[in-house]
Amino acid sequence: MYLLLMGPPGAGKGTQAAKLVERYDIPHVSTGDIFRGALQERTPLGLEAKRYMDVGALVPDQVTVGITRERLAKSDCIGGFILDGFPRTLQQAHSLDQMLAKMGIRLNKVVNIVVPDQELIPRLTGRRICQSCGATYHMEFRPPAQPSICDRCGGELYQRTDDQEETVRERLEVYRLQTQPLIQYYQERDLYSEINGAQSTEAVFRDIVVSLTGEEP
Ligand code: AP5
Ligand code: MG
Ligand code: ZN
């Protein structure tokens, strides 16, 4: 299955992608995760991306398209993938169409997880992530058993630098201006479906699976 997960910052794309990976055994391709991984290794790509991410801006299309093309060319993507956080501009959407055409594949579905802004801000400012395995927590909605320690692997939890409230507001504005126009792009291609993300993670997951397969999980 070739799936694209859309939604504003904090909608639950990463949380749902982790559940979809388990169910469908296909890779999760998140451009945000790729940039953060590159930054952890202090590569030139990571250091360049950091300049944009820290202020809530988009990394330039040329850079983002290049790393996505490289990632989708890896052999684990042949049978399917879950794209999260790409495309985010119309230019990126056109580039993705070209990449997929070259690979001889088509997207099965574009799922947009919709959550009102007033819920997104507390979700992001309260988010914590495991330094070692990347598992995502929330101080209120999904707290770890012990503060600052990952339940899954014992790793240390950290807060993303772009999860400060001021940066979160900027990211939401960038989403509205640059990414929301993609809704129409995918509606016109009959790929689009919308999921109510303001429910429990289990209810959101159920709705996504129903929209993909027509069957309850
Ligand atoms: P990216 O990493 O993609 O961030 P984002 O799109 O802003 O989305 P998030 O990862 O913040 O949220 P999410 O939807 O994954 O939510 P999560 O599941 O974690 O991008 C970061 C930056 O990289 C960009 O700003 C840009 O600079 C750059 N970048 C990336 N891609 C790019 C591109 N294509 N072009 C240019 N630049 C690019 O959940 C959030 C929190 O809510 C968690 O704490 C979670 O536990 C909690 N939660 C989840 N679901 C629920 C629920 N149902 N109820 C209650 N709480 C919930
Ligand atoms: Mg994410
Ligand atoms: Zn962990």
Side-chain angles (χ1 to χ4, degrees), residues 130-135 137 150-157:
C130 174
Q131 193 83 255
S132 311
C133 76
Y137 296 87
C150 178
D151 294 348
R152 205 162 77 178
C153 78
E156 198 181 321
L157 303 186

Side-chain angles (χ1 to χ4, degrees), residues 51-121:
R51 293 189 358 234
Y52 300 94
M53 294 170 87
D54 279 355
V55 293
L58 295 184
V59 177
D61 285 343
Q62 211 192 345
V63 176
T64 310
V65 167
I67 60 133
T68 307
R69 184 179 290 120
E70 265 177 36
R71 180 64 189 88
L72 295 185
K74 294 202 170 144
S75 58
D76 62 335
C77 289
I78 292 172
F81 51 71
I82 303 158
L83 255 182
D84 156 6
F86 182 94
R88 263 169 144 103
T89 63
L90 281 170
Q91 179 57 51
Q92 290 180 16
H94 288 297
S95 299
L96 177 63
D97 283 347
Q98 288 167 4
M99 284 179 224
L100 297 179
K102 272 197 187 154
M103 294 165 77
I105 58 178
R106 282 167 184 270
L107 290 175
N108 295 96
K109 200 92 175 171
V110 175
V111 169
N112 188 20
I113 307 173
V114 180
V115 179
D117 278 12
Q118 66 269 23
E119 277 198 41
L120 295 171
I121 293 169

Side-chain angles (χ1 to χ4, degrees), residues 13-15 28 30 33 36 84 127 160:
K13 302 181 294 295
T15 301
H28 173 206
S30 155
D33 287 349
R36 282 183 291 277
D84 156 6
R127 172 168 57 186
R160 269 169 53 174

Side-chain angles (χ1 to χ4, degrees), residues 8-10 36 49-58 88 117 120-122 124-125 127 159-176:
R36 282 183 291 277
K50 178 179 163 56
R51 293 189 358 234
Y52 300 94
M53 294 170 87
D54 279 355
V55 293
L58 295 184
R88 263 169 144 103
D117 278 12
L120 295 171
I121 293 169
L124 290 170
T125 52
R127 172 168 57 186
Q159 184 171 29
R160 269 169 53 174
T161 48
D162 59 348
D163 279 348
Q164 303 298 324
E165 183 164 343
E166 197 186 328
T167 319
V168 166
R169 288 187 189 280
E170 180 60 26
R171 287 161 60 199
L172 291 173
E173 184 64 8
V174 167
Y175 177 80
R176 196 174 63 75

